[in-house]
Amino acid sequence: MLSDPKLVVTDAFGLRNTAITSGPPGDDAEALPAPATLLLDRNGKVLWMDVSEDYQRRSDPSVVLAAMREHFDAL
Amino acid sequence: MAMKSGTKLGIAALAIALGTTVLWFRMTGTVGLPDSRAGFVVAWIGAIGLGIFAFVRGTSIPGALAPLLGVVVSSFLLFTVYISPQTIDAAKSIKVGDTIPHFTAPDGHGETFDSASLNGHLVLIKFFRAHW
């Protein structure tokens, strides 16, 4: 588990939540990443991703497992 | 001494607020929230309305605690529902087919993780809010 308090990695991936819960530009106190899951191949290429449009509703683990079977089993 | 009618309403408001909230956390704990949270919203608004009505009807001083808690708990949970939508900048976000950027980040043991170590491995990355 890694830490990203200033959202440097989150911003590199473009996954900063820009909705109401984010603070004003320049103020990271309220900034958060959008909940997201990514599957990568052995070269770091994104095979599948799921970004929650709502932090209270995220993909069921079975959805992620199905994606892993679909994309990882073939590799 | 007979309980004031407002106090009874306040207890009902708190019961609705707490019961709805317990159900809410049980469902979120199993990633089982329904697509529509309208039922929860209606219940919390109902608890707030009942709590306010309890004060209008009159409560004892200790009896005011129940409706007050019911209103506070319901209001907070409603606020969390209101702020739950997430939006990312589609122009900036990584997409399927992109290669992830190189990055480093500290782990929980004070060590620095380098994404180059992922090369050659199939990887699952999760972004989420937490703190330690």
Side-chain angles (χ1 to χ4, degrees):
Chain A
M1 189 180 299
L2 306 176
S3 172
D4 186 28
K6 295 295 183 184
L7 272 67
V8 172
V9 179
T10 300
D11 284 340
F13 280 70
L15 294 174
R16 177 186 290 249
N17 173 31
T18 59
I20 189 170
T21 53
S22 290
D27 179 0
D28 289 334
E30 299 294 325
L32 296 169
T37 303
L38 291 82
L39 298 182
L40 313 178
D41 70 7
R42 301 178 199 280
N43 298 311
K45 187 174 83 171
V46 180
L47 298 173
W48 178 88
M49 64 185 288
D50 175 66
V51 181
S52 295
E53 294 180 344
D54 186 322
Y55 87 86
Q56 294 180 337
R57 287 187 50 74
R58 310 184 187 193
S59 288
D60 189 85
S62 64
V63 173
V64 180
L65 285 172
M68 291 174 71
R69 288 191 196 99
E70 178 185 350
H71 294 283
F72 283 177
D73 285 356
L75 298 176
Chain B
M1 184 169 62
M3 193 182 288
K4 288 190 172 184
S5 62
T7 301
K8 293 178 186 176
L9 291 171
I11 291 171
L14 180 60
I16 293 171
L18 290 181
T20 306
T21 302
V22 166
L23 181 61
W24 170 268
F25 280 109
R26 278 189 173 177
M27 294 182 111
T28 54
T30 57
V31 199
L33 271 184
D35 289 340
S36 173
R37 287 160 290 181
F40 291 98
V41 171
V42 167
W44 283 319
I45 290 175
I48 290 170
L50 200 57
I52 293 171
F53 188 52
F55 285 117
V56 170
R57 289 297 296 260
T59 69
S60 60
I61 293 175
L65 186 59
L68 181 63
L69 277 176
V71 169
V72 167
V73 167
S74 298
S75 300
F76 176 73
L77 270 299
L78 278 174
F79 176 71
T80 66
V81 172
Y82 173 66
I83 65 170
S84 65
Q86 309 281 292
T87 306
I88 60 172
D89 186 337
K92 293 180 181 177
S93 79
I94 196 164
K95 298 173 181 54
V96 172
D98 290 346
T99 299
I100 64 164
H102 174 259
F103 66 90
T104 60
D107 65 17
H109 306 289
E111 303 291 326
T112 298
F113 172 84
D114 190 318
S115 66
S117 65
L118 298 175
N119 290 345
H121 300 280
L122 297 174
V123 176
L124 182 154
I125 295 180
K126 273 189 75 71
F127 286 83
F128 60 97
R129 181 198 179 184
H131 61 269
W132 62 65

